[in-house]
Amino acid sequence: MKIYLLMLLMLGCTALQAQKYMTKTGYIKFYSHSPIEDIEAENEEVAAILNGETGALTFALLIKSFEFEKALMQEHFNENYLESDEYPKAIFKGQIKDFSSKLVKEEGEHKVNVTGELTLHGETNTINASATLTVSKDGVLGATQFIVKPEDYRIRIPNAVRNNIAKEIEVTVRVDLQER
């Protein structure tokens, strides 16, 4: 009887895991264009999970994992703007709108809309973005681009450098999700 229960438990866990698509090596880039200076940083340590039954999405990343071309920019970003010792993570929890579990089973490119809550620098705001999911036998590749305003997340930019940083920051996301 114990062996039978153990086998049922293992099968149940396997079935639950088969509904999840995950990565720990997702990619997020942000880009700020201003007449004085362009600022760009990349993070390739983004954890992401897509629930293949419900369309729920979760992304999490450490702020200090963003890499800049110039070390001084990275230092200012972490210490002065994002205050990454106090606010070490950014988290997105959302949902693919009008999701059907068939979506992750049908190979090809699918245009979707995503909505959710982005928590950054201690503030949470709603994000709505169009995205592309490319489904193949190897998994699900997700890609999107959206705009974030630093002021919406209480990110203070000193007057001395205010013209160096755009009022709207372009965020690009790519995740290669594998079924688990």
Side-chain angles (χ1 to χ4, degrees), residues 12-174:
C13 289
T14 302
L16 286 175
Q17 288 177 352
Q19 299 167 1
K20 303 277 187 206
Y21 296 83
M22 304 170 64
T23 188
K24 292 181 184 175
T25 57
Y27 171 86
I28 292 184
K29 173 181 89 170
F30 73 80
Y31 176 73
S32 164
H33 173 74
S34 72
I36 295 173
E37 183 173 35
D38 290 343
I39 301 170
E40 183 175 64
E42 298 177 329
N43 186 330
E44 296 182 9
E45 299 176 11
V46 178
I49 299 172
L50 166 63
N51 183 316
E53 293 297 317
T54 66
L57 290 165
T58 303
F59 291 81
L61 63 98
L62 292 175
I63 298 299
K64 286 187 177 181
S65 294
F66 276 103
E67 294 183 8
F68 291 72
E69 186 177 317
K70 298 176 184 174
L72 188 58
M73 279 185 180
Q74 190 162 334
E75 182 181 325
H76 288 169
F77 173 79
N78 282 300
E79 292 178 10
N80 302 334
Y81 304 119
L82 272 286
E83 302 171 286
S84 57
D85 285 338
E86 186 175 349
Y87 308 105
K89 294 179 186 175
I91 297 171
F92 175 84
K93 292 182 182 181
Q95 178 72 38
I96 297 173
K97 290 182 181 178
D98 302 320
F99 182 80
S100 164
S101 61
K102 293 177 187 177
L103 180 75
V104 293
K105 295 176 177 99
E106 295 176 6
E107 288 192 18
E109 188 174 288
H110 307 282
K111 300 291 185 191
V112 297
N113 291 308
V114 176
T115 189
E117 302 294 318
L118 174 62
T119 301
L120 174 69
H121 196 247
E123 291 292 311
T124 301
N125 288 290
T126 300
I127 298 291
N128 292 299
S130 59
T132 302
L133 295 181
T134 305
V135 179
S136 71
K137 62 179 173 32
D138 297 324
V140 178
L141 179 65
T144 189
Q145 215 172 43
F146 57 91
I147 299 296
V148 170
K149 295 179 181 179
E151 67 186 33
D152 290 344
Y153 294 91
R154 291 185 309 115
I155 298 169
R156 292 180 297 278
I157 300 170
N159 287 335
V161 294
R162 186 157 302 212
N163 293 332
N164 295 20
I165 300 172
K167 292 182 182 0
E168 294 185 339
I169 309 296
E170 180 183 271
V171 179
T172 302
V173 180
R174 282 195 317 265

Side-chain angles (χ1 to χ4, degrees), residues 2-14:
K2 287 182 183 178
I3 293 174
Y4 177 73
L5 288 174
L6 182 60
M7 287 176 56
L8 277 176
L9 180 61
M10 288 173 55
L11 285 172
C13 289
T14 302

